Amino acid sequence: MAGVWFDGLWDRPQADWRLEKTYALIHRLQPAALIGNNHHLKPKPGEGFQMFEKDLPGKNARGFSSESEMGQLPLET
C-alpha cells in the first residue's frame, strides 16, 4: 500500500491541476494507493480520504477551510 498527499491547490485554485488524469495514473500504477489532497474542498473522485488544514472538519475555526465540505470519505485531521 502507498499514499500520496497533495498540498497547494488552494494557492492557485483556477490552475488546471489535471487531478483526474493524475489520480488515474497513480491508481493505474498503484491501485491500492490512498490519495489525499489538501485543497480545502469537498473530496474529488479518486481521492481515498479527506484532509483538513489545522482544523476539525467543517469548523473553520482557524480560517483555513471556509469553503470545505464534509464528504463521505475517511477523515485525516
Side-chain angles (χ1 to χ4, degrees):
M1 171 109 49
V4 181
W5 272 245
F6 288 93
D7 192 8
L9 183 142
W10 45 267
D11 193 32
R12 294 183 51 209
Q14 303 307 320
D16 180 11
W17 292 98
R18 300 173 39 158
L19 295 179
E20 188 174 314
K21 287 183 178 184
T22 302
Y23 293 173
L25 174 63
I26 292 168
H27 286 302
R28 184 168 49 84
L29 297 173
Q30 186 71 294
L34 290 174
I35 298 173
N37 193 327
N38 190 24
H39 48 52
H40 302 193
L41 302 169
K42 187 173 181 177
K44 299 181 181 301
E47 295 174 358
F49 63 96
Q50 187 174 5
M51 63 176 75
F52 294 86
E53 183 84 24
K54 300 180 183 179
D55 212 340
L56 295 173
K59 298 294 184 185
N60 192 31
R62 301 191 184 254
F64 287 97
S65 55
S66 61
E67 298 178 20
S68 69
E69 296 180 39
M70 291 286 294
Q72 298 299 314
L73 297 176
L75 304 177
E76 180 267 346
T77 56

